[in-house]
Amino acid sequence: VLEVGIGNPGPDGEQPSMALPEIWSNPVESRLSDSNLLAEVFAELMPRGVDEEKTEQVVSTMLQRIEEGLVGRLTRAEVIDGERVEGLRTEYPFTISNPVSFETVPRTRWTPDGIEQLAGIERASIDMDGSIDLALCSSHEDGTSSIRPIDLKTEQAASILDDSGSLLDALGNHATEPANDAEIEMLRHHRLQLALYHRALEMMEATRPEGQRRRVERPAILVGVTGRLVIYPVEMFEQAQAQIDDILATAARMELATELPLADFQRLPQSKAHVCAMCPFSMGDLPICGPLSETEASIET
Ligand code: SF4
C-alpha cells in the first residue's frame, strides 16, 4: 500500500534542486487513507485464512499513523527543520558491486607430490541486489540536496489490536532519535540491511557528475505501528558500515579458499545465542552447531 499510495509533493518550483528522473518528481496525491486502494491491494495480495477484519484494522491504523507522522507531513510538502521533500521513489531496485580485500587465501590442488598452490587471492568483488522501500529526496534551506534510504518495518503489528507493546510506547514522540530500547533493538537488528541501502545510494550518486550529487543521509526506519521515522544514530551506523566490509570479506574468503581452518571461524559466545537461534546450522533435530557453552568458552580462552 505504501509503495503505490504514498504522496509525492514534487519540486518547489519548475525543477528539483538537483536533477531527478521525472518519475521521482511527478507530484502525486497521497492515497494512504484511500479505502479503495486498501481493498484493491487486499484483493490482490491477502493470503487465504487471514482474519481480514483484524488485518484491515492493523494496516489502516499503521497507514493513518504514517500519514500523520514525519514521512506523511514531508510528503505533503511541509517544510520541517528546513527540509522539503521534492521527489521520491518507492521499491527502488539496485545492484551494487562491493570490492573487498582480505588476507590472501590459497587455491590449491592435491598432487602425488603434495598440495600444490594454484593461486593466491587477496581481492574480490561481491555483487548484491535488492530494493529500497523508500528513497526520499529533499532540498534544504542551506541550499543543499539530499537523499535518504528508508525501510518500513511492521514488527509488533498485532500490538495495535490490544494497544500495548514496547514499540507503541513511543507513539506521539516526534523526535527522530530512537525513543526507547525497543526502537534501538529494531535499528540494531536491521543495521546491515540499512547500511547496504545507504551504500547503494552512495554508489548511485557517485555515478553523477561532481556538483550534481545529493548528500546521502543516514538511513532511517519507518516504524509501522507508530508511524515514527527513526534515523540511525551516527555511532550505530558507522559500526554497521564497518561490519558489512568485515562480513563480505569473510564470505569471500569462505567462498574462494580451497580449504580454511575451522579455527578461523569462532563459534559465537552464549551472549550471542539469539543470533545462533536464527542460524540454519543450529536448527532441526540434529543441529550441527550452536553457541559456545561457558565451559567451552573458558577452554578456548
Ligand atoms: S550456530 Fe554456529 S555457525 Fe550459526 S551463528 Fe551460531 S556459532 Fe555461528
Side-chain angles (χ1 to χ4, degrees):
V1 180
L2 186 79
E3 181 187 348
V4 292
I6 193 167
N8 186 341
D12 182 19
E14 290 287 297
Q15 298 292 331
S17 61
M18 204 68 83
L20 279 176
E22 219 175 291
I23 193 174
W24 291 51
S25 57
N26 275 341
V28 178
E29 279 285 317
S30 169
R31 293 185 67 201
L32 291 184
S33 320
D34 181 342
S35 52
N36 292 330
L37 175 64
L38 201 57
E40 278 170 37
V41 173
F42 279 6
E44 203 174 312
L45 300 174
M46 181 86 83
R48 283 188 189 179
V50 169
D51 185 326
E52 283 193 31
E53 203 179 314
K54 284 185 178 163
T55 307
E56 187 176 341
Q57 186 187 342
V58 167
V59 174
S60 55
T61 304
M62 284 199 280
L63 292 171
Q64 184 201 337
R65 289 176 180 168
I66 290 170
E67 192 76 299
E68 290 166 359
L70 200 56
V71 167
R73 290 166 58 203
L74 282 167
T75 53
R76 286 195 299 276
E78 196 176 317
V79 179
I80 300 176
D81 293 334
E83 173 179 2
R84 186 196 183 281
V85 166
E86 56 181 354
L88 58 88
R89 169 73 203 251
T90 56
E91 292 299 322
Y92 174 57
F94 66 86
T95 301
I96 56 172
S97 193
N98 296 274
V100 286
S101 48
F102 38 81
E103 205 179 306
T104 307
V105 292
R107 296 285 297 182
T108 57
R109 73 172 169 193
W110 181 88
T111 73
D113 299 322
I115 299 296
E116 181 189 346
Q117 177 155 336
L118 299 171
I121 304 168
E122 57 191 27
R123 282 190 301 276
S125 183
I126 300 184
D127 293 341
M128 304 175 90
D129 55 33
S131 76
I132 302 174
D133 278 356
L134 177 62
L136 215 52
C137 302
S138 301
S139 59
H140 297 261
E141 64 185 1
D142 62 1
T144 60
S145 311
S146 69
I147 182 167
R148 187 190 302 279
I150 297 173
D151 202 54
L152 169 67
K153 294 295 177 201
T154 55
E155 281 151 49
Q156 298 189 11
S159 67
I160 285 179
L161 295 171
D162 47 21
D163 202 21
S164 154
S166 50
L167 286 172
L168 273 183
D169 289 345
L171 185 62
N173 182 323
H174 299 297
T176 52
E177 297 86 33
N180 59 22
D181 288 349
E183 286 190 348
I184 291 173
E185 178 51 29
M186 182 186 239
L187 261 61
R188 201 199 58 74
H189 187 71
H190 299 290
R191 67 196 186 286
L192 298 176
Q193 177 195 0
L194 271 295
L196 187 68
Y197 290 177
H198 184 274
R199 182 171 292 189
L201 293 184
E202 287 267 22
M203 287 181 170
M204 178 185 86
E205 290 300 318
T207 61
R208 301 188 198 286
E210 229 172 293
Q212 294 177 33
R213 297 175 188 161
R214 288 175 182 271
R215 178 180 66 249
V216 183
E217 303 277 28
R218 291 198 308 281
I221 283 188
L222 176 56
V223 185
V225 293
T226 54
R228 276 176 46 70
L229 184 72
V230 187
I231 298 172
Y232 272 78
V234 175
E235 197 181 337
M236 188 188 286
F237 176 56
E238 286 176 353
Q239 281 174 0
Q241 285 180 306
Q243 274 177 312
I244 284 193
D245 290 328
D246 284 351
I247 290 169
L248 292 181
T250 304
R253 287 178 64 224
M254 291 170 83
E255 177 65 27
L256 294 169
T258 311
E259 231 177 287
L260 276 179
L262 269 182
D264 279 9
F265 306 100
Q266 292 295 336
R267 284 159 61 201
L268 294 178
Q270 275 298 329
S271 60
K272 298 267 175 67
H274 60 283
V275 178
C276 295
M278 294 184 290
C279 172
F281 294 130
S282 75
M283 293 177 183
D285 293 336
L286 288 171
I288 57 172
C289 192
L292 282 171
S293 68
E294 274 165 28
T295 320
E296 288 171 314
S298 64
I299 293 169
E300 299 240 340
T301 52

